[in-house]
Amino acid sequence: MTELKVGVIGIPGKWSTEALADALESRTGFRRVIDMAEVVADLDRPALMCDGLELGGLDAVVVKKISRDYSPHTLDRLELLRLLEQQGVRVFSPAGSMLRLIDRLACTVTLRNAGIPMPQTRVTECPGQALAAVREFGSAVFKPLYSTKARGMRVLSLAEGERGLKKHIARFHQDNPVMYIQRKLELPGRDLGLVYLGGEYLGAYARISRGDAWNTTIHSGGKYAPCEPGAVLIELGRRAQAPFALDFTTVDIAETEHGPVVFEVSAFGGFRGAREGAGIDAAAAYADYVLQGLAGQ
């Protein structure tokens, strides 16, 4: 065992958070799960406190989950972690890297600038332009800028009719002033999650959709399954995650008749998919990586 003190920022009681805390405790003898909802930032000192613990006294924190749901407020929580970095506390992954992944548009712009293939996408604040996008695509997925597991997404198609489309677009626009719209792709009933640790490929899993679901998320009834992507997909995933300089991540890739496309890069990565679909103990691998990184500082 080492004497390093590494905290886990996550959701107390959640499996992935506790699994990572267990893995670090077994290697260091220290365990602390930090709920950002309980953190106080004293900007005068400056210091971050959580239940009597000054986080600046830790050697590192590993961010497994910053909040239960994504929202602009999530960005505020990540900003606070920059205080820790300034104090010399290592944050896995770096706060600046995660900041660019919480907002779906920031992630997409970074991927597009890197030349990563993605579904055709339109972004607009104008309902008329949103309607034009549906006409162009035939069927489109309207996505909130802050969401996970397809929550809040809405599929709209020409089958809705002109009046129906205008009504549904107006309703979506009420909660989403900036509308992010992607062409709905015809997929083979699955997409892939490729796992990377320190930029190196660790393994992959598939998400298989339920028969009547348009997406493959577990939230919508999908299930994990093994898969063995070829070298082309592994390299595409590596290129997609590279601009973000993350310590641990999952890249969501779909295979289409026109070639593979990337849907997104995860700020935190999926432990359960890695375990159930690929047989990877991601918590153990990540804990080893963190401790090796601290030893090499």
Side-chain angles (χ1 to χ4, degrees):
M1 286 192 180
T2 72
E3 295 182 357
L4 291 172
K5 294 183 177 181
V6 181
V8 175
I9 292 177
I11 309 300
K14 287 293 185 179
W15 174 78
S16 59
T17 295
E18 301 295 342
L20 183 54
D22 288 344
L24 286 165
E25 182 183 18
S26 71
R27 289 157 174 77
T28 67
F30 179 85
R31 179 192 181 90
R32 188 62 181 257
V33 172
I34 301 158
D35 183 350
M36 287 298 293
E38 303 298 325
V39 169
V40 176
D42 182 342
L43 300 184
D44 298 319
R45 293 177 55 187
L48 290 185
M49 305 291 297
C50 184
D51 293 330
L53 175 68
E54 185 164 342
L55 303 189
L58 299 175
D59 295 289
V61 295
V62 187
V63 185
K64 184 61 199 79
K65 198 74 173 175
I66 197 73
S67 61
R68 294 182 185 273
D69 300 300
Y70 286 6
S71 72
H73 175 51
T74 305
L75 302 178
D76 298 330
R77 290 183 171 188
L78 288 171
E79 285 290 349
L80 293 181
L81 298 185
R82 294 174 57 209
L83 292 173
L84 286 183
E85 292 175 330
Q86 180 64 26
Q87 293 176 306
V89 178
R90 182 88 173 265
V91 178
F92 295 84
S93 294
S97 297
M98 293 183 288
L99 275 165
R100 290 187 294 159
L101 287 164
I102 300 301
D103 181 336
R104 178 170 277 110
L105 181 54
C107 176
T108 297
V109 169
T110 301
L111 291 172
R112 284 295 194 191
N113 286 347
I116 302 300
M118 299 186 72
Q120 288 176 273
T121 305
R122 301 288 182 270
V123 180
T124 182
E125 297 180 44
C126 174
Q129 291 299 321
L131 178 61
V134 179
R135 289 182 183 138
E136 178 183 352
F137 294 157
S139 184
V141 185
F142 283 63
K143 300 182 177 183
L145 293 185
Y146 300 93
S147 73
T148 59
K149 297 180 174 60
R151 293 184 180 93
M153 295 185 186
R154 182 69 187 268
V155 177
L156 297 179
S157 72
L158 296 177
E160 304 278 352
E162 190 86 357
R163 179 178 295 179
L165 279 174
K166 289 181 178 179
K167 180 182 70 175
H168 291 308
I169 289 172
R171 186 175 300 162
F172 183 83
H173 191 224
Q174 284 180 345
D175 297 324
N176 302 275
V178 177
M179 293 177 284
Y180 180 105
I181 308 160
Q182 283 188 330
R183 179 187 291 274
K184 184 178 180 295
L185 301 177
E186 294 299 322
L187 303 178
R190 73 169 197 172
D191 62 8
L192 310 179
L194 277 67
V195 184
Y196 294 83
L197 181 63
E200 299 297 323
Y201 174 69
L202 196 61
Y205 55 89
R207 281 182 297 258
I208 311 298
S209 67
R210 191 181 63 189
D212 60 346
W214 68 268
N215 67 77
T216 64
T217 65
I218 305 305
H219 180 70
S220 297
K223 63 180 181 179
Y224 296 117
C227 73
E228 296 183 5
V232 171
L233 292 184
I234 293 172
E235 174 60 15
L236 174 59
R238 187 200 65 76
R239 286 176 48 222
Q241 59 84 44
F244 301 98
L246 296 158
D247 290 303
F248 181 83
T249 189
T250 304
V251 182
D252 291 345
I253 296 179
E255 300 165 288
T256 78
E257 60 181 348
H258 302 295
V261 295
V262 171
F263 281 126
E264 66 179 14
V265 177
S266 170
F268 312 112
F271 279 13
R272 191 174 294 278
R275 185 187 70 170
E276 296 182 8
I280 297 170
D281 187 343
Y286 200 3
D288 288 338
Y289 169 87
V290 167
L291 297 181
Q292 290 167 8
L294 293 173
Q297 286 186 154

